[in-house]
Amino acid sequence: MMSNTQYADHSPSKEESMEVTSQRDFTGKLNHDLEQVKNEFGQQADINIRSFCLGHSTQQAALLFVNGISDRELIDKHILKSLMCDLAYGDNHQAENVTYPITKQYLKDHVLAVGVIKEVDRVADVKTELLRGHAALMLDNSTSKVIILGTRKEITRSAGEPSSEILVRGPRMGFNESICDNTTLLRQHGEKADLTIVQIRVGERVEKELAIAYIKDVADEDLVQEVRNRIENITLDDIQDTGYIEQLIEDNFLSPFPQVQSTERLDRVVSALMEGRVAILLDGTPFVLTVPTTFNMLLQSPEDYYERWIPGTLVRVLRYFAAFISTFGPSLYISFISFHQGLIPTKLALSIADSRSGVPFPSLIEVLIMEVALEILREAGLRLPKPIGQTIGIVGGLVIGEAAVQAGIVSPLMVIVVAVTAISSFAIPQYNAGIALRILRFIAMLFAAIFGLYGVVLFFLLLCSHMAKLNSFGVPYISPAVPYRLQDWKDFIVRAPLKLMKRRPKMMKTNNPIREE
């Protein structure tokens, strides 16, 4: 026969009871405690309260959970069945061999087959745990604590290839909306590395899980602490996406350049961790942030490393050229057409003059008409349903461009310049970097319309000055160009052979600078 001491709760003295009651919301009386929980929730249709008796005894209990976000199969088969049917009473399973009440400690040690169990004594804590998808077990004539059971139901999609970062060659694995799945993917791809994952809860009203991931023996401890401090200082009611975090932890919110890299690709995050960077994952979004970020990271693609170094370098140089055309293409057209016609070859100048003979607008207005129309078409293509979005974008661009030329509103050369500029912007791997360059394109056009080619050069110098002063978590934004580090140039504009890339970036100040160790 099982000893009665396994079931009996410690009976506190009168003074202890008064002190506990003053500090806790629950009293251990089931009906009273259930009323407190009901009053806290109010009229909530999806709150399920299942009252029952423990085993074949008369001791009352109640299990509370939220329909939809709690795992009903786990609750029915492994919790309610264990408490109502499989609860053993002594050696011969007879109820008369038990001294009541049955303790929570006995249920946790011998009955409840659930991986995550903890106890709380506040109504507000019970409400928070229920809204996270966990279940709450309350017993009559027991202690004033409530058992919280890990029954959260994960609603996830399969981890497929990210649609926003498609590669010709390379892994097809991407993140999904579940932080549990995402941290599992990191663990699987870093099983031999000293991968450290620190979890923090963010959000004042709607709490979500956030994870900070880094390689312990590689990442700089000061960098990790700085990331954690900035995240802990966030005070928002609800954080829907890592885009909220990106805006709140960046160094300069007035800069058009993204100072935090956002990606859905697992291989990109793992590579960043191996360089000593820190990854930030948030529950409910597939986009993972990596810090610190430099400008050259936004023009790099994981595919650069999967191909041989010669084609990888050529493609990377092509992206830098595309970024320049995307930013300064229309402004150069304006400056040459309006101010510096003498720099254009004679035959080309005559051809341009002939094509612009019927255009009633100056070059700036001409460029603005086409650029604004193109931006509207680009935005409309993103918002339209996928089967017709691309078709509308292509057909709309052709129709509007041809119609504008036939009507004499713009010149044919202007259509070519705008088309090349748009195609160049699509060559940039990071979407948010492309948005930054599109914004700067309009500013460069205004400088060109006022000062001509001198304005373009002036704007370029101001842009370089701003980028030189910009930092991302203590790392210069245009490093390794400024400050100059020859060692890091092996993975800058030129992608050196992998045999020569044996060291991690010096700018990261890693604890272990050698990649092989």
Side-chain angles (χ1 to χ4, degrees), residues 270-307:
V270 173
S271 298
L273 294 177
M274 295 302 174
E275 290 183 347
R277 306 182 195 275
V278 178
I280 303 171
L281 302 88
L282 180 67
D283 192 25
T285 176
F287 289 93
V288 177
L289 305 179
T290 57
V291 293
T293 300
T294 57
F295 181 71
N296 67 296
M297 291 176 58
L298 304 177
L299 298 180
Q300 294 176 359
S301 171
E303 199 170 12
D304 297 348
Y305 305 93
Y306 304 145
E307 297 288 350

Side-chain angles (χ1 to χ4, degrees), residues 305-502:
Y305 305 93
Y306 304 145
E307 297 288 350
R308 297 180 65 251
W309 74 275
I310 295 178
T313 298
L314 292 177
V315 172
R316 185 175 293 183
V317 171
L318 186 63
R319 289 198 204 100
Y320 277 92
F321 179 73
F324 180 83
I325 294 297
S326 175
T327 307
F328 295 102
S331 59
L332 290 174
Y333 171 82
I334 293 173
S335 61
F336 281 115
I337 293 298
S338 301
F339 294 90
H340 308 284
Q341 299 90 346
L343 298 177
I344 306 175
T346 304
K347 290 185 178 181
L348 180 58
L350 293 175
S351 176
I352 295 174
D354 182 61
S355 64
R356 284 184 49 82
S357 59
V359 177
F361 304 111
S363 57
L364 175 62
I365 303 302
E366 181 186 10
V367 174
L368 285 176
I369 290 174
M370 291 304 301
E371 285 290 343
V372 172
L374 183 65
E375 293 297 330
I376 293 175
L377 278 174
R378 192 200 305 255
E379 188 67 18
L382 291 175
R383 308 307 165 196
L384 287 172
K386 289 184 178 180
I388 64 174
Q390 294 182 351
T391 304
I392 293 297
I394 296 173
V395 174
L398 292 175
V399 171
I400 291 177
E402 182 66 22
V405 172
Q406 292 296 329
I409 299 176
V410 298
S411 63
L413 181 60
M414 180 67 257
V415 176
I416 295 174
V417 171
V418 172
V420 172
T421 302
I423 295 173
S424 299
S425 66
F426 289 127
I428 300 172
Q430 292 283 297
Y431 177 72
N432 52 1
I435 294 177
L437 297 183
R438 283 155 58 185
I439 296 172
L440 296 173
R441 181 193 309 160
F442 286 92
I443 303 176
M445 288 161 50
L446 295 177
F447 272 78
I450 298 173
F451 303 107
L453 191 59
Y454 301 104
V456 177
V457 175
L458 176 62
F459 177 72
F460 178 75
L461 294 176
L462 292 175
L463 189 61
C464 292
S465 175
H466 168 71
M467 296 177 69
K469 294 189 297 182
L470 196 61
N471 288 313
S472 175
F473 286 83
V475 175
Y477 193 62
I478 55 175
S479 181
V482 177
Y484 178 75
R485 293 187 178 94
L486 180 60
Q487 174 185 316
D488 293 346
W489 275 67
K490 295 178 181 179
D491 194 21
F492 186 29
I493 299 176
V494 175
R495 204 279 282 174
L498 293 179
K499 294 181 179 180
L500 301 179
M501 300 171 61
K502 296 182 178 181

